[in-house]
Amino acid sequence: MIHKIAVFTSGGDSPGMNACIRAVVLAAQHHNIQVLGYFKGYEGLIDNSFKVLHPSDVKDIIHRGGTILKTARSERFMEKQYRIQAAENLKKEGVDGIIAIGGDGTFKGALAFQEHCSLPVIGCAGTIDNDLIGTDFTIGYDTAINTVVEAIDKIRDTAQSHERIFIVEVMGRDAGLIALRSALASGADAVLIPELKNDSAALVAKFEQWKKEGGSRIIVVAEGDESGGAYKVAELVKSGLPKADIRVSILGHVQRGGNPSCMERVNASAFGYYAVKALQEGKRSEMIGFVNKTITYTPFAKAVKHHLKVKPELELLISVLSA
Ligand code: F6P
């Protein structure tokens, strides 16, 4: 029986995390389960820093970006002594189950925790990068790509006016999904992502074509791309098009903030609700996701181990429309 659960957000924050926390609290209340909200992810477990969450605490948060529980990438949790301390704290508080909202690093932490803590942990996929196996969308991704598209639309206005080439760098250390979708949606002229090898011959051919046609261009580059980022790409473009007027725009953390989109709020709320249900059903070490509009559960070990492959259909679309 589950009477008391811990919930926390960990890793990079993402819009929609608050909607998820809200759903956890309301679903738990529905089943007479008490919720302890731990602050700053695994740091809160180590320091026993938490607050009992009531429905009144989550009343006006569904539309807010960030996370009311704060977040951190805990260095200390990588050390055994602190994981043991966290396990002891949870035992002392009488917690029966844990809901971890975060991404790859969060679930790797949950796997390491298993050695010291027998409590079931359920994960809600939360990261703007959308780089987890077992879900079509992670919490934050939809809002982030809409933020990027809005920014590129604005950049396009000034790019056109000056007939400039803009290199727009978006987030994604290991994953190019933000770059890929936002490039498609904003009609970019080229996109460079870590998952696909850069074809320098094709790029040079493109430069020749741009030279003939003139006008403005938008190149989207994921921060983790092999090129080394927007400034390196700018150098490359300059070498092929010495007369071009080139500007770099790094969108940065603006992509992590803002009010979550409608889809985000709905997905995040569903994840939170089903996380509570999963604990009640005796599930453990699994991540909740949505695949083809259906709630799915993926073992942490699988969700974190594999790197996403770009779907061939998406690759084809990109190659014709934005390569
Ligand atoms: O949370 C994912 C992410 O936004 C990545 O896309 C990015 O590389 C990283 O976090 C940035 O992390 P930080 O905010 O710690 O600099």
Side-chain angles (χ1 to χ4, degrees):
M1 284 289 281
I2 301 283
H3 297 290
K4 199 185 269 191
I5 59 177
V7 64
F8 61 84
T9 48
S10 162
D13 64 336
S14 60
M17 281 184 163
N18 279 328
C20 188
I21 297 167
R22 173 182 177 272
V24 167
V25 172
L26 296 186
Q29 189 215 22
H30 184 73
H31 296 289
N32 289 320
I33 297 171
Q34 192 179 38
V35 181
L36 309 188
Y38 282 79
F39 295 107
K40 296 193 177 181
Y42 291 114
E43 288 288 300
L45 300 192
I46 296 168
D47 297 331
N48 210 28
S49 164
F50 69 86
K51 176 187 194 309
V52 176
L53 291 178
H54 302 285
S56 58
D57 294 307
V58 294
K59 193 175 168 305
D60 292 313
I61 65 168
I62 195 165
H63 62 298
R64 280 170 49 195
T67 157
I68 57 161
L69 292 177
K70 312 274 171 58
T71 189
R73 303 187 198 276
S74 176
E75 297 273 327
R76 287 192 295 166
F77 203 70
M78 290 177 189
E79 291 177 44
K80 191 172 171 175
Q81 65 179 104
Y82 291 111
R83 292 200 295 272
I84 292 171
Q85 192 171 314
E88 281 167 1
N89 285 338
L90 288 164
K91 195 169 173 196
K92 197 171 68 196
E93 298 305 330
V95 167
D96 307 303
I98 302 169
I99 295 175
I101 306 168
D104 186 72
T106 304
F107 303 146
K108 281 184 182 147
L111 284 171
F113 200 34
Q114 281 179 350
E115 194 192 327
H116 320 285
C117 179
S118 59
L119 292 177
V121 185
I122 293 296
C124 295
T127 161
I128 63 163
D129 290 350
N130 202 28
D131 59 346
L132 293 163
I133 295 279
T135 190
D136 292 338
F137 294 97
T138 53
I139 299 169
Y141 176 60
D142 185 61
T143 309
I145 52 180
N146 278 295
T147 300
V148 172
V149 169
E150 198 184 326
I152 297 180
D153 286 350
K154 288 176 178 163
I155 288 171
R156 184 183 286 283
D157 288 343
T158 176
Q160 271 186 316
S161 309
H162 287 267
E163 298 200 322
R164 282 175 171 160
I165 297 179
F166 265 85
I167 327 290
V168 182
E169 185 179 299
V170 300
M171 275 187 166
R173 245 187 322 225
D174 310 305
L177 286 176
I178 295 179
L180 212 52
R181 277 197 180 242
S182 57
L184 256 186
S186 59
D189 299 278
V191 56
L192 304 173
I193 59 168
E195 293 87 340
L196 298 178
K197 210 156 170 41
N198 295 339
D199 182 347
S200 23
L203 263 181
V204 170
K206 212 177 247 293
F207 295 160
E208 286 308 311
Q209 187 196 333
W210 294 356
K211 207 186 284 178
K212 277 191 218 128
E213 291 173 3
S216 65
R217 302 286 166 180
I218 308 273
I219 302 175
V220 177
V221 55
E223 63 177 332
D225 180 66
E226 64 184 275
S227 57
Y231 284 102
K232 291 279 174 208
V233 176
E235 281 170 23
L236 191 73
V237 178
K238 193 77 196 161
S239 66
L241 296 169
K243 291 200 180 124
D245 195 4
I246 302 165
R247 292 290 184 277
V248 165
S249 186
I250 297 182
L251 299 187
H253 286 79
V254 71
Q255 296 160 89
R256 286 244 295 266
N259 296 355
S261 66
C262 171
M263 179 170 133
E264 208 82 85
R265 298 178 199 193
V266 172
N267 286 353
S269 299
F271 286 2
Y273 172 85
Y274 281 102
V276 174
K277 196 160 176 275
L279 285 176
Q280 287 183 302
E281 288 169 355
K283 291 191 164 51
R284 53 192 304 126
S285 307
E286 289 184 287
M287 182 199 84
I288 307 244
F290 256 126
V291 177
N292 295 331
K293 297 184 185 157
T294 307
I295 283 286
T296 53
Y297 303 90
T298 305
F300 286 150
K302 188 172 175 211
V304 301
K305 238 184 181 166
H306 305 258
H307 267 285
L308 285 179
K309 288 203 172 59
V310 176
K311 291 206 173 90
E313 311 86 66
L314 195 52
E315 204 179 323
L316 181 68
L317 264 183
I318 281 286
S319 70
V320 177
L321 305 178
S322 285

